[in-house]
Coordinates of all heavy atoms in Angstrom, one line a residue:
M1 N -64.9 -5.1 6.9 CA -65.0 -6.5 6.8 C -64.4 -6.9 5.4 O -64.7 -6.3 4.4 CB -66.5 -7.0 6.9 CG -66.7 -8.4 6.6 SD -68.3 -9.1 6.9 CE -69.4 -7.9 6.3
N2 N -63.6 -7.9 5.4 CA -63.0 -8.3 4.1 C -63.9 -9.2 3.4 O -64.9 -9.7 3.8 CB -61.6 -8.9 4.4 CG -61.7 -10.3 5.2 OD1 -62.7 -10.9 5.2 ND2 -60.6 -10.5 5.9
Y3 N -63.5 -9.4 2.1 CA -64.4 -10.2 1.2 C -64.5 -11.6 1.7 O -65.7 -12.2 1.6 CB -63.7 -10.1 -0.2 CG -64.6 -10.9 -1.2 CD1 -65.7 -10.3 -1.8 CD2 -64.1 -12.1 -1.7 CE1 -66.4 -11.0 -2.7 CE2 -64.9 -12.8 -2.6 CZ -66.0 -12.3 -3.1 OH -66.8 -13.0 -4.1
V4 N -63.5 -12.3 2.2 CA -63.6 -13.7 2.6 C -64.5 -13.8 3.7 O -65.4 -14.7 3.8 CB -62.2 -14.2 3.0 CG1 -62.2 -15.6 3.5 CG2 -61.3 -14.2 1.7
A5 N -64.4 -12.9 4.7 CA -65.3 -12.9 5.9 C -66.8 -12.7 5.4 O -67.7 -13.4 5.9 CB -64.9 -11.9 6.9
F6 N -67.0 -11.8 4.5 CA -68.3 -11.5 4.0 C -68.9 -12.8 3.3 O -70.0 -13.1 3.5 CB -68.3 -10.3 3.0 CG -69.7 -10.1 2.5 CD1 -70.6 -9.4 3.2 CD2 -70.0 -10.4 1.2 CE1 -71.9 -9.2 2.7 CE2 -71.2 -10.2 0.7 CZ -72.2 -9.6 1.4
E7 N -68.1 -13.4 2.4 CA -68.6 -14.6 1.7 C -68.9 -15.7 2.7 O -69.9 -16.4 2.5 CB -67.6 -15.0 0.7 CG -67.6 -14.1 -0.5 CD -68.9 -14.1 -1.2 OE1 -69.5 -15.1 -1.5 OE2 -69.3 -12.9 -1.6
A8 N -68.0 -15.9 3.7 CA -68.3 -16.9 4.7 C -69.6 -16.7 5.5 O -70.4 -17.6 5.7 CB -67.1 -17.0 5.7
A9 N -69.8 -15.4 5.8 CA -71.0 -15.0 6.6 C -72.2 -15.3 5.7 O -73.3 -15.8 6.1 CB -70.9 -13.6 7.0
R10 N -72.1 -14.9 4.4 CA -73.3 -15.0 3.5 C -73.6 -16.5 3.3 O -74.8 -16.9 3.3 CB -72.9 -14.4 2.1 CG -74.2 -14.2 1.3 CD -73.9 -13.3 0.1 NE -73.2 -14.0 -0.9 CZ -72.9 -13.5 -2.1 NH1 -73.3 -12.3 -2.4 NH2 -72.2 -14.2 -2.9
A11 N -72.5 -17.3 3.1 CA -72.8 -18.8 2.9 C -73.4 -19.4 4.2 O -74.3 -20.2 4.1 CB -71.5 -19.5 2.6
A12 N -73.0 -19.0 5.4 CA -73.5 -19.5 6.6 C -75.0 -19.1 6.7 O -75.8 -19.9 7.2 CB -72.7 -19.0 7.7
T13 N -75.3 -17.8 6.3 CA -76.7 -17.4 6.4 C -77.6 -18.1 5.5 O -78.8 -18.5 5.8 CB -76.8 -15.9 6.2 OG1 -76.3 -15.6 5.0 CG2 -76.1 -15.1 7.3
R14 N -77.1 -18.5 4.3 CA -77.9 -19.2 3.4 C -78.2 -20.6 3.9 O -79.3 -21.2 3.8 CB -77.2 -19.3 2.0 CG -77.3 -18.1 1.2 CD -76.6 -18.3 -0.1 NE -76.5 -17.0 -0.8 CZ -75.6 -16.7 -1.7 NH1 -74.7 -17.6 -2.0 NH2 -75.5 -15.6 -2.3
A15 N -77.2 -21.2 4.5 CA -77.3 -22.6 5.0 C -78.3 -22.6 6.2 O -79.0 -23.5 6.3 CB -76.0 -23.1 5.5
L16 N -78.3 -21.6 7.0 CA -79.2 -21.5 8.1 C -80.6 -20.9 7.7 O -81.5 -21.0 8.6 CB -78.6 -20.6 9.2 CG -77.4 -21.1 9.8 CD1 -76.8 -20.1 10.8 CD2 -77.6 -22.4 10.6
G17 N -80.7 -20.4 6.5 CA -82.0 -19.9 6.1 C -82.3 -18.5 6.7 O -83.5 -18.2 6.9
V18 N -81.3 -17.8 7.1 CA -81.5 -16.5 7.8 C -81.4 -15.5 6.7 O -80.8 -15.7 5.7 CB -80.3 -16.3 8.8 CG1 -80.5 -15.0 9.5 CG2 -80.4 -17.5 9.8
C19 N -82.0 -14.3 7.0 CA -81.9 -13.2 6.1 C -80.5 -12.9 5.8 O -79.7 -12.7 6.7 CB -82.6 -12.0 6.7 SG -82.4 -10.5 5.8
A20 N -80.1 -12.9 4.5 CA -78.7 -12.8 4.1 C -78.1 -11.4 4.6 O -77.0 -11.4 5.1 CB -78.6 -12.8 2.6
V21 N -78.8 -10.4 4.5 CA -78.2 -9.1 5.0 C -78.1 -9.0 6.5 O -77.0 -8.8 7.0 CB -79.0 -7.9 4.4 CG1 -78.5 -6.6 4.9 CG2 -79.1 -7.9 2.9
G22 N -79.1 -9.2 7.2 CA -79.1 -9.2 8.6 C -78.1 -10.2 9.2 O -77.4 -10.0 10.2
G23 N -78.2 -11.4 8.7 CA -77.3 -12.5 9.2 C -75.8 -12.2 8.9 O -75.0 -12.5 9.7
A24 N -75.5 -11.7 7.7 CA -74.2 -11.3 7.4 C -73.6 -10.3 8.3 O -72.4 -10.4 8.7 CB -74.1 -10.9 5.9
V25 N -74.4 -9.3 8.7 CA -73.9 -8.3 9.6 C -73.7 -8.9 11.0 O -72.7 -8.6 11.6 CB -74.9 -7.1 9.6 CG1 -74.6 -6.1 10.7 CG2 -75.0 -6.4 8.3
A26 N -74.6 -9.8 11.4 CA -74.5 -10.4 12.7 C -73.2 -11.3 12.8 O -72.5 -11.3 13.7 CB -75.7 -11.2 13.1
L27 N -73.0 -12.1 11.7 CA -71.9 -13.0 11.7 C -70.6 -12.3 11.5 O -69.6 -12.9 11.8 CB -72.2 -14.1 10.7 CG -73.2 -15.1 11.0 CD1 -73.4 -16.1 9.8 CD2 -72.8 -15.9 12.2
A28 N -70.6 -11.1 10.9 CA -69.4 -10.4 10.6 C -68.6 -10.1 11.9 O -67.4 -10.2 11.9 CB -69.7 -9.1 9.8
G29 N -69.3 -9.8 12.9 CA -68.6 -9.6 14.2 C -68.0 -10.8 14.8 O -67.1 -10.8 15.7
L30 N -68.4 -12.0 14.4 CA -68.0 -13.2 15.0 C -66.8 -13.8 14.2 O -66.2 -14.8 14.7 CB -69.1 -14.3 15.0 CG -70.3 -13.9 15.9 CD1 -71.4 -14.9 15.8 CD2 -69.9 -13.7 17.3
T31 N -66.5 -13.4 13.0 CA -65.5 -14.0 12.2 C -64.2 -13.5 12.6 O -64.0 -12.3 13.1 CB -65.7 -13.7 10.7 OG1 -65.7 -12.3 10.5 CG2 -67.0 -14.3 10.2
V32 N -63.1 -14.3 12.5 CA -61.7 -13.9 12.8 C -61.1 -13.5 11.5 O -61.1 -14.2 10.5 CB -61.0 -15.1 13.4 CG1 -59.6 -14.8 13.7 CG2 -61.7 -15.5 14.7
G33 N -60.5 -12.3 11.6 CA -59.8 -11.8 10.4 C -58.5 -12.5 10.2 O -58.0 -13.2 11.1
P34 N -57.9 -12.4 9.0 CA -56.6 -13.1 8.7 C -55.5 -12.5 9.6 O -55.4 -11.3 9.9 CB -56.4 -12.8 7.3 CG -57.2 -11.6 7.0 CD -58.4 -11.6 7.9
G35 N -54.7 -13.4 10.1 CA -53.6 -12.9 10.9 C -53.8 -12.9 12.4 O -52.9 -13.0 13.2
Q36 N -55.1 -12.8 12.8 CA -55.4 -12.8 14.3 C -55.2 -14.2 14.9 O -54.8 -14.3 16.0 CB -56.9 -12.4 14.4 CG -57.1 -10.9 14.1 CD -58.5 -10.5 14.3 OE1 -59.4 -11.3 14.4 NE2 -58.7 -9.2 14.3
A37 N -55.5 -15.3 14.2 CA -55.3 -16.6 14.7 C -53.8 -16.9 14.8 O -53.5 -17.8 15.6 CB -56.0 -17.6 13.8
D38 N -53.0 -16.3 14.1 CA -51.5 -16.5 14.1 C -50.8 -15.8 15.3 O -49.6 -15.9 15.5 CB -50.9 -16.0 12.9 CG -51.3 -16.8 11.7 OD1 -51.8 -17.9 11.8 OD2 -51.2 -16.3 10.5
A39 N -51.6 -15.2 16.2 CA -51.0 -14.4 17.3 C -50.6 -15.3 18.4 O -49.9 -14.8 19.3 CB -52.0 -13.4 17.8
A40 N -51.0 -16.6 18.4 CA -50.6 -17.5 19.5 C -49.1 -17.7 19.6 O -48.4 -17.7 18.6 CB -51.3 -18.8 19.3
I41 N -48.6 -17.9 20.8 CA -47.2 -18.1 21.0 C -46.9 -19.6 20.5 O -47.5 -20.5 20.8 CB -46.8 -18.0 22.4 CG1 -46.9 -16.6 22.9 CG2 -45.3 -18.5 22.7 CD1 -46.8 -16.4 24.4
K42 N -45.8 -19.7 19.6 CA -45.4 -21.0 19.1 C -44.1 -21.4 19.7 O -43.2 -20.6 19.6 CB -45.3 -20.9 17.5 CG -46.7 -20.6 16.9 CD -46.5 -20.6 15.4 CE -47.9 -20.2 14.8 NZ -47.9 -20.0 13.4
C43 N -44.1 -22.6 20.2 CA -42.9 -23.1 20.9 C -42.3 -24.3 20.1 O -43.1 -25.0 19.5 CB -43.2 -23.5 22.3 SG -43.8 -22.2 23.4
R44 N -41.0 -24.4 20.1 CA -40.4 -25.5 19.6 C -39.4 -26.0 20.7 O -38.4 -25.4 20.9 CB -39.6 -25.2 18.3 CG -39.0 -26.4 17.7 CD -38.3 -26.2 16.3 NE -39.2 -25.6 15.4 CZ -38.9 -24.7 14.4 NH1 -37.6 -24.4 14.3 NH2 -39.8 -24.3 13.6
G45 N -39.9 -27.0 21.4 CA -39.2 -27.5 22.6 C -39.3 -26.3 23.6 O -40.4 -25.9 23.9
A46 N -38.1 -26.0 24.2 CA -38.1 -25.0 25.3 C -37.9 -23.6 24.7 O -37.8 -22.6 25.4 CB -37.0 -25.2 26.2
Y47 N -38.0 -23.4 23.4 CA -37.7 -22.1 22.8 C -39.0 -21.6 22.0 O -39.7 -22.4 21.4 CB -36.6 -22.2 21.8 CG -35.3 -22.7 22.5 CD1 -34.9 -24.0 22.5 CD2 -34.6 -21.8 23.2 CE1 -33.8 -24.5 23.2 CE2 -33.4 -22.2 23.9 CZ -33.1 -23.5 23.9 OH -31.9 -23.9 24.6
Q48 N -39.1 -20.3 21.9 CA -40.2 -19.6 21.2 C -39.7 -19.3 19.8 O -38.6 -18.8 19.7 CB -40.6 -18.4 21.9 CG -41.8 -17.6 21.3 CD -42.2 -16.5 22.1 OE1 -42.0 -16.4 23.2 NE2 -42.9 -15.5 21.4
V49 N -40.6 -19.6 18.8 CA -40.3 -19.2 17.5 C -40.7 -17.8 17.3 O -41.9 -17.4 17.5 CB -41.1 -20.1 16.5 CG1 -40.8 -19.7 15.1 CG2 -40.7 -21.6 16.7
S50 N -39.8 -16.9 16.9 CA -40.0 -15.5 16.8 C -39.3 -15.0 15.5 O -38.1 -14.9 15.5 CB -39.5 -14.7 18.0 OG -39.7 -13.3 17.8
G51 N -40.0 -14.7 14.5 CA -39.5 -14.3 13.2 C -38.5 -15.2 12.6 O -37.5 -14.9 12.0
G52 N -38.8 -16.5 12.8 CA -38.0 -17.6 12.2 C -36.8 -17.9 13.1 O -36.1 -18.9 12.8
N53 N -36.6 -17.2 14.2 CA -35.5 -17.5 15.1 C -36.1 -18.2 16.4 O -37.2 -18.0 16.7 CB -34.8 -16.2 15.5 CG -34.1 -15.6 14.4 OD1 -33.5 -16.2 13.5 ND2 -34.3 -14.2 14.3
L54 N -35.2 -18.9 17.1 CA -35.6 -19.5 18.4 C -35.0 -18.7 19.5 O -33.8 -18.5 19.5 CB -35.1 -20.9 18.4 CG -35.6 -21.9 17.4 CD1 -35.0 -23.3 17.5 CD2 -37.1 -22.0 17.4
I55 N -35.9 -18.3 20.4 CA -35.4 -17.6 21.6 C -35.9 -18.2 22.9 O -37.0 -18.7 22.9 CB -35.8 -16.1 21.5 CG1 -37.3 -15.9 21.4 CG2 -35.1 -15.3 20.4 CD1 -37.8 -14.5 21.5
A56 N -35.1 -18.2 23.9 CA -35.5 -18.8 25.2 C -36.5 -17.8 25.9 O -36.2 -16.7 26.0 CB -34.3 -19.0 26.1
T57 N -37.6 -18.3 26.2 CA -38.6 -17.6 27.0 C -39.2 -18.4 28.1 O -39.3 -19.7 28.0 CB -39.8 -17.2 26.1 OG1 -40.5 -18.3 25.6 CG2 -39.4 -16.3 24.9
P58 N -39.5 -17.8 29.2 CA -40.0 -18.6 30.4 C -41.3 -19.3 30.0 O -41.6 -20.4 30.5 CB -40.3 -17.5 31.4 CG -39.4 -16.3 31.1 CD -39.3 -16.4 29.6
Y59 N -42.1 -18.7 29.1 CA -43.4 -19.4 28.7 C -43.2 -20.7 28.1 O -43.7 -21.7 28.5 CB -44.2 -18.5 27.8 CG -45.5 -19.0 27.3 CD1 -46.6 -18.8 28.0 CD2 -45.6 -19.8 26.1 CE1 -47.9 -19.4 27.7 CE2 -46.8 -20.4 25.7 CZ -47.9 -20.1 26.5 OH -49.1 -20.7 26.1
C60 N -42.3 -20.7 27.1 CA -42.0 -22.0 26.4 C -41.2 -23.0 27.3 O -41.4 -24.2 27.2 CB -41.3 -21.7 25.1 SG -42.3 -20.9 23.9
E61 N -40.4 -22.4 28.1 CA -39.6 -23.3 29.0 C -40.6 -24.1 30.0 O -40.5 -25.2 30.2 CB -38.6 -22.5 29.9 CG -37.4 -22.1 29.1 CD -36.5 -21.3 29.9 OE1 -36.8 -20.8 31.0 OE2 -35.3 -21.0 29.4
D62 N -41.6 -23.3 30.5 CA -42.6 -24.0 31.3 C -43.5 -25.0 30.6 O -43.8 -26.0 31.1 CB -43.5 -22.9 32.0 CG -42.8 -22.1 33.0 OD1 -41.7 -22.5 33.4 OD2 -43.3 -21.0 33.3
E63 N -43.8 -24.7 29.3 CA -44.5 -25.6 28.5 C -43.7 -26.9 28.3 O -44.3 -28.0 28.4 CB -44.8 -25.0 27.1 CG -45.9 -23.9 27.1 CD -47.3 -24.4 27.3 OE1 -47.6 -25.6 26.9 OE2 -48.1 -23.6 27.9
Y64 N -42.5 -26.7 28.0 CA -41.6 -27.9 27.8 C -41.4 -28.7 29.0 O -41.4 -29.9 29.0 CB -40.3 -27.4 27.1 CG -39.4 -28.6 26.7 CD1 -39.8 -29.4 25.7 CD2 -38.1 -28.8 27.3 CE1 -39.0 -30.5 25.3 CE2 -37.3 -29.9 26.9 CZ -37.8 -30.7 25.8 OH -37.0 -31.7 25.5
L65 N -41.1 -28.0 30.2 CA -40.9 -28.7 31.5 C -42.1 -29.5 31.8 O -42.0 -30.6 32.3 CB -40.6 -27.6 32.5 CG -40.3 -28.1 33.9 CD1 -39.1 -29.0 33.9 CD2 -40.1 -26.9 34.9
A66 N -43.3 -28.9 31.6 CA -44.6 -29.7 31.9 C -44.7 -30.9 31.0 O -45.1 -32.0 31.4 CB -45.8 -28.8 31.7
Q67 N -44.3 -30.8 29.7 CA -44.4 -31.8 28.8 C -43.4 -33.0 29.2 O -43.8 -34.2 29.1 CB -44.0 -31.3 27.4 CG -44.0 -32.4 26.3 CD -43.5 -31.8 25.0 OE1 -43.3 -30.6 24.8 NE2 -43.3 -32.6 24.0
V68 N -42.2 -32.7 29.6 CA -41.3 -33.7 30.0 C -41.8 -34.3 31.3 O -41.6 -35.5 31.5 CB -39.8 -33.0 30.2 CG1 -38.9 -34.0 30.9 CG2 -39.3 -32.6 28.9
A69 N -42.3 -33.5 32.2 CA -42.8 -34.1 33.4 C -43.9 -35.1 33.2 O -44.0 -36.1 33.9 CB -43.4 -32.9 34.3
R70 N -44.8 -34.8 32.2 CA -45.8 -35.8 31.9 C -45.2 -37.2 31.4 O -45.8 -38.2 31.6 CB -46.7 -35.3 30.8 CG -47.7 -34.2 31.4 CD -48.8 -33.8 30.5 NE -48.3 -32.9 29.4 CZ -48.2 -31.6 29.4 NH1 -48.4 -31.0 30.5 NH2 -47.8 -31.0 28.4
T71 N -44.0 -37.2 30.9 CA -43.4 -38.5 30.5 C -43.0 -39.2 31.7 O -42.8 -40.4 31.7 CB -42.2 -38.3 29.6 OG1 -41.1 -37.6 30.3 CG2 -42.6 -37.5 28.3
Y72 N -42.8 -38.5 32.8 CA -42.5 -39.2 34.1 C -43.8 -39.6 34.9 O -43.7 -40.1 36.0 CB -41.7 -38.2 35.0 CG -40.2 -38.2 34.6 CD1 -39.8 -37.3 33.6 CD2 -39.3 -39.1 35.2 CE1 -38.4 -37.2 33.3 CE2 -37.9 -39.0 34.8 CZ -37.5 -38.1 33.9 OH -36.2 -38.1 33.5
G73 N -44.9 -39.2 34.4 CA -46.2 -39.6 35.0 C -46.8 -38.5 35.8 O -47.8 -38.6 36.5
S74 N -46.2 -37.3 35.8 CA -46.7 -36.1 36.5 C -47.9 -35.5 35.8 O -47.9 -35.6 34.6 CB -45.6 -35.1 36.7 OG -46.1 -33.9 37.3
R75 N -48.8 -35.0 36.5 CA -50.0 -34.3 35.9 C -49.9 -32.8 36.0 O -51.0 -32.2 35.9 CB -51.3 -34.9 36.5 CG -51.5 -36.3 36.3 CD -52.8 -36.7 36.8 NE -53.2 -38.0 36.4 CZ -54.4 -38.5 36.6 NH1 -55.3 -37.9 37.3 NH2 -54.7 -39.7 36.1
V76 N -48.7 -32.3 36.2 CA -48.6 -30.8 36.2 C -48.9 -30.1 34.9 O -48.5 -30.7 33.9 CB -47.2 -30.5 36.8 CG1 -46.1 -30.8 35.8 CG2 -47.2 -29.1 37.3
S77 N -49.5 -28.9 35.0 CA -49.6 -28.2 33.8 C -48.7 -27.1 33.7 O -48.1 -26.6 34.7 CB -51.1 -27.6 33.8 OG -51.2 -26.7 34.8
A78 N -48.4 -26.5 32.5 CA -47.6 -25.4 32.3 C -48.1 -24.2 33.0 O -47.4 -23.4 33.6 CB -47.3 -25.1 30.8
R79 N -49.4 -24.1 33.0 CA -50.0 -22.9 33.7 C -49.8 -23.0 35.2 O -49.5 -21.9 35.8 CB -51.5 -23.0 33.5 CG -52.3 -21.9 34.2 CD -53.8 -22.0 33.9 NE -54.4 -20.8 34.4 CZ -55.8 -20.7 34.5 NH1 -56.5 -21.6 34.1 NH2 -56.3 -19.6 35.0
R80 N -49.8 -24.1 35.8 CA -49.4 -24.2 37.2 C -48.0 -23.9 37.5 O -47.7 -23.2 38.5 CB -49.7 -25.7 37.7 CG -49.2 -25.9 39.2 CD -50.3 -26.5 40.0 NE -49.8 -27.0 41.3 CZ -49.7 -26.2 42.3 NH1 -50.1 -24.9 42.3 NH2 -49.2 -26.7 43.5
L81 N -47.1 -24.3 36.6 CA -45.7 -23.9 36.7 C -45.4 -22.4 36.7 O -44.6 -21.9 37.4 CB -44.8 -24.7 35.7 CG -44.8 -26.2 35.9 CD1 -44.0 -26.8 34.7 CD2 -44.3 -26.7 37.2
R82 N -46.2 -21.8 35.8 CA -46.1 -20.4 35.6 C -46.6 -19.6 36.8 O -46.1 -18.5 37.2 CB -46.8 -19.9 34.4 CG -46.0 -20.1 33.1 CD -46.7 -19.5 31.9 NE -48.0 -20.0 31.5 CZ -48.1 -21.0 30.7 NH1 -47.1 -21.7 30.2 NH2 -49.3 -21.5 30.4
R83 N -47.6 -20.1 37.5 CA -48.2 -19.4 38.6 C -47.6 -19.8 39.9 O -47.8 -19.0 40.9 CB -49.7 -19.7 38.6 CG -50.5 -19.1 37.4 CD -51.9 -19.5 37.4 NE -52.6 -18.8 36.4 CZ -53.7 -18.2 36.5 NH1 -54.3 -18.1 37.6 NH2 -54.2 -17.6 35.4
S84 N -46.9 -20.9 40.1 CA -46.4 -21.3 41.3 C -44.9 -21.6 41.3 O -44.5 -22.6 40.7 CB -47.2 -22.5 41.8 OG -46.6 -23.0 43.0
F85 N -44.1 -20.7 41.9 CA -42.7 -20.9 42.0 C -42.4 -22.2 42.7 O -41.5 -22.9 42.3 CB -42.1 -19.7 42.7 CG -40.6 -19.7 42.7 CD1 -39.8 -19.3 41.7 CD2 -39.9 -20.2 43.9 CE1 -38.5 -19.4 41.7 CE2 -38.6 -20.3 44.0 CZ -37.8 -19.8 42.9
S86 N -43.1 -22.5 43.8 CA -42.8 -23.7 44.6 C -43.2 -25.0 43.8 O -42.5 -26.0 43.9 CB -43.6 -23.7 45.9 OG -45.0 -23.7 45.7
A87 N -44.2 -25.0 43.0 CA -44.6 -26.1 42.1 C -43.4 -26.4 41.1 O -43.0 -27.6 40.9 CB -45.8 -25.9 41.4
K88 N -42.9 -25.4 40.6 CA -41.8 -25.5 39.6 C -40.5 -26.0 40.3 O -39.8 -26.9 39.8 CB -41.5 -24.2 38.9 CG -40.5 -24.2 37.8 CD -40.5 -22.9 37.0 CE -39.6 -23.0 35.8 NZ -39.6 -21.8 35.1
S89 N -40.3 -25.5 41.5 CA -39.1 -25.9 42.3 C -39.2 -27.4 42.7 O -38.2 -28.1 42.5 CB -39.0 -25.1 43.6 OG -38.0 -25.5 44.4
E90 N -40.4 -27.8 43.1 CA -40.6 -29.2 43.5 C -40.4 -30.1 42.3 O -39.8 -31.2 42.4 CB -41.9 -29.4 44.1 CG -42.1 -28.8 45.5 CD -43.5 -28.8 46.0 OE1 -44.3 -29.5 45.4 OE2 -43.7 -28.2 47.0
L91 N -41.0 -29.7 41.1 CA -40.9 -30.5 39.9 C -39.4 -30.6 39.5 O -38.9 -31.7 39.1 CB -41.7 -29.9 38.8 CG -41.7 -30.7 37.5 CD1 -42.3 -32.1 37.8 CD2 -42.5 -30.0 36.5
C92 N -38.7 -29.6 39.6 CA -37.3 -29.6 39.2 C -36.4 -30.4 40.2 O -35.5 -31.1 39.7 CB -36.7 -28.2 39.1 SG -37.2 -27.3 37.7
Q93 N -36.8 -30.5 41.4 CA -36.1 -31.4 42.3 C -36.4 -32.9 41.9 O -35.5 -33.7 42.1 CB -36.7 -31.2 43.8 CG -36.3 -29.9 44.3 CD -34.9 -29.7 44.6 OE1 -34.2 -30.6 45.0 NE2 -34.4 -28.4 44.4
F94 N -37.5 -33.1 41.3 CA -37.9 -34.5 40.9 C -37.3 -34.9 39.6 O -36.7 -35.9 39.4 CB -39.4 -34.5 40.8 CG -40.0 -35.9 40.3 CD1 -39.6 -37.1 41.0 CD2 -40.8 -35.9 39.3 CE1 -40.2 -38.3 40.5 CE2 -41.3 -37.1 38.8 CZ -41.0 -38.3 39.4
I95 N -37.3 -34.0 38.6 CA -36.8 -34.4 37.2 C -35.7 -33.5 36.7 O -35.3 -33.6 35.5 CB -38.0 -34.4 36.2 CG1 -38.5 -32.9 36.0 CG2 -39.1 -35.3 36.6 CD1 -39.4 -32.8 34.8
G96 N -35.2 -32.6 37.5 CA -34.2 -31.6 37.1 C -32.9 -32.2 36.5 O -32.2 -31.4 35.9
R97 N -32.6 -33.4 36.8 CA -31.3 -34.0 36.3 C -31.5 -34.5 34.9 O -30.5 -34.9 34.3 CB -30.8 -35.0 37.2 CG -30.5 -34.6 38.6 CD -29.2 -33.8 38.7 NE -29.0 -33.4 40.1 CZ -28.3 -32.3 40.4 NH1 -27.7 -31.6 39.4 NH2 -28.1 -32.0 41.6
D98 N -32.7 -34.6 34.4 CA -33.0 -35.0 33.0 C -32.3 -34.0 32.1 O -32.4 -32.8 32.2 CB -34.5 -35.1 32.7 CG -34.8 -35.7 31.4 OD1 -34.3 -35.2 30.4 OD2 -35.7 -36.6 31.4
S99 N -31.5 -34.5 31.2 CA -30.8 -33.6 30.2 C -31.7 -32.7 29.4 O -31.2 -31.7 29.0 CB -29.9 -34.5 29.3 OG -30.7 -35.3 28.5
R100 N -33.0 -33.1 29.2 CA -33.8 -32.2 28.4 C -34.2 -30.9 29.2 O -34.6 -30.0 28.5 CB -35.1 -33.0 28.0 CG -34.8 -34.2 27.1 CD -36.1 -35.0 26.9 NE -36.4 -35.8 28.2 CZ -37.5 -36.5 28.3 NH1 -38.4 -36.6 27.4 NH2 -37.7 -37.1 29.5
V101 N -34.2 -31.0 30.5 CA -34.6 -29.9 31.3 C -33.6 -29.4 32.3 O -33.9 -28.5 33.1 CB -36.0 -30.2 32.0 CG1 -37.1 -30.4 31.0 CG2 -35.8 -31.3 33.0
S102 N -32.4 -29.9 32.3 CA -31.4 -29.5 33.3 C -31.1 -28.1 33.2 O -30.9 -27.4 34.2 CB -30.1 -30.4 33.1 OG -29.6 -30.2 31.8
D103 N -31.1 -27.4 32.0 CA -30.8 -26.0 31.9 C -32.0 -25.1 32.5 O -31.7 -24.1 33.1 CB -30.5 -25.6 30.5 CG -31.5 -25.9 29.5 OD1 -32.2 -26.9 29.8 OD2 -31.7 -25.2 28.5
I104 N -33.2 -25.6 32.3 CA -34.3 -24.9 32.9 C -34.3 -25.0 34.4 O -34.7 -24.0 35.1 CB -35.7 -25.5 32.3 CG1 -35.7 -25.3 30.8 CG2 -36.9 -24.9 32.9 CD1 -36.8 -26.1 30.1
C105 N -34.0 -26.2 35.0 CA -34.1 -26.4 36.4 C -32.7 -26.1 37.1 O -32.7 -26.3 38.3 CB -34.4 -27.9 36.6 SG -36.1 -28.3 36.2
Q106 N -31.8 -25.6 36.4 CA -30.5 -25.3 37.0 C -30.6 -24.5 38.3 O -29.9 -24.7 39.3 CB -29.6 -24.7 36.0 CG -28.1 -24.5 36.5 CD -27.3 -24.0 35.4 OE1 -27.7 -23.5 34.4 NE2 -26.0 -23.9 35.6
K107 N -31.4 -23.4 38.3 CA -31.4 -22.5 39.5 C -32.2 -23.1 40.6 O -32.1 -22.6 41.7 CB -32.1 -21.2 39.0 CG -33.5 -21.3 38.5 CD -34.0 -20.0 38.0 CE -35.3 -20.2 37.2 NZ -35.5 -19.1 36.3
F108 N -32.9 -24.3 40.4 CA -33.6 -24.9 41.5 C -32.8 -26.1 42.1 O -33.3 -26.7 43.1 CB -35.0 -25.4 41.0 CG -35.8 -24.3 40.5 CD1 -36.0 -24.1 39.1 CD2 -36.5 -23.5 41.4 CE1 -36.8 -23.1 38.7 CE2 -37.4 -22.5 40.9 CZ -37.5 -22.3 39.5
L109 N -31.7 -26.5 41.5 CA -31.0 -27.7 42.0 C -29.7 -27.2 42.7 O -29.1 -26.2 42.4 CB -30.6 -28.5 40.8 CG -31.7 -29.1 39.9 CD1 -31.2 -29.8 38.7 CD2 -32.5 -30.0 40.8
P110 N -29.4 -28.0 43.8 CA -28.1 -27.7 44.4 C -26.9 -28.0 43.6 O -27.0 -28.8 42.7 CB -28.1 -28.6 45.7 CG -29.1 -29.7 45.3 CD -30.1 -29.1 44.3
D111 N -25.9 -27.2 43.8 CA -24.6 -27.5 43.0 C -24.1 -28.7 43.3 O -23.8 -29.6 43.2 CB -23.6 -26.3 43.2 CG -24.2 -25.0 42.7 OD1 -24.9 -25.0 41.7 OD2 -23.8 -24.0 43.2

């Protein structure tokens, strides 16, 4: 356990009036260490930020496609698009000509 986590646990136990030693040990398992919260995928538009570079990934493309769809009034989620090929196909038939998502929907649109 690092020093910051220990101090946070100790401060929390004092505020709760719990035994400092037992409470610190119990809370130590619940704290998040540095760097663990940064593990989430970060997207910028349809691209994933990876080491300061932008790379095209299906995850971020689906996030962006759902975001653009919501501007059209659709209530589709990125999770649904990732899990259902037909939902993504139908959505691309609806908004696929929009210049923001035309490259993502290219394979779902007729030539």
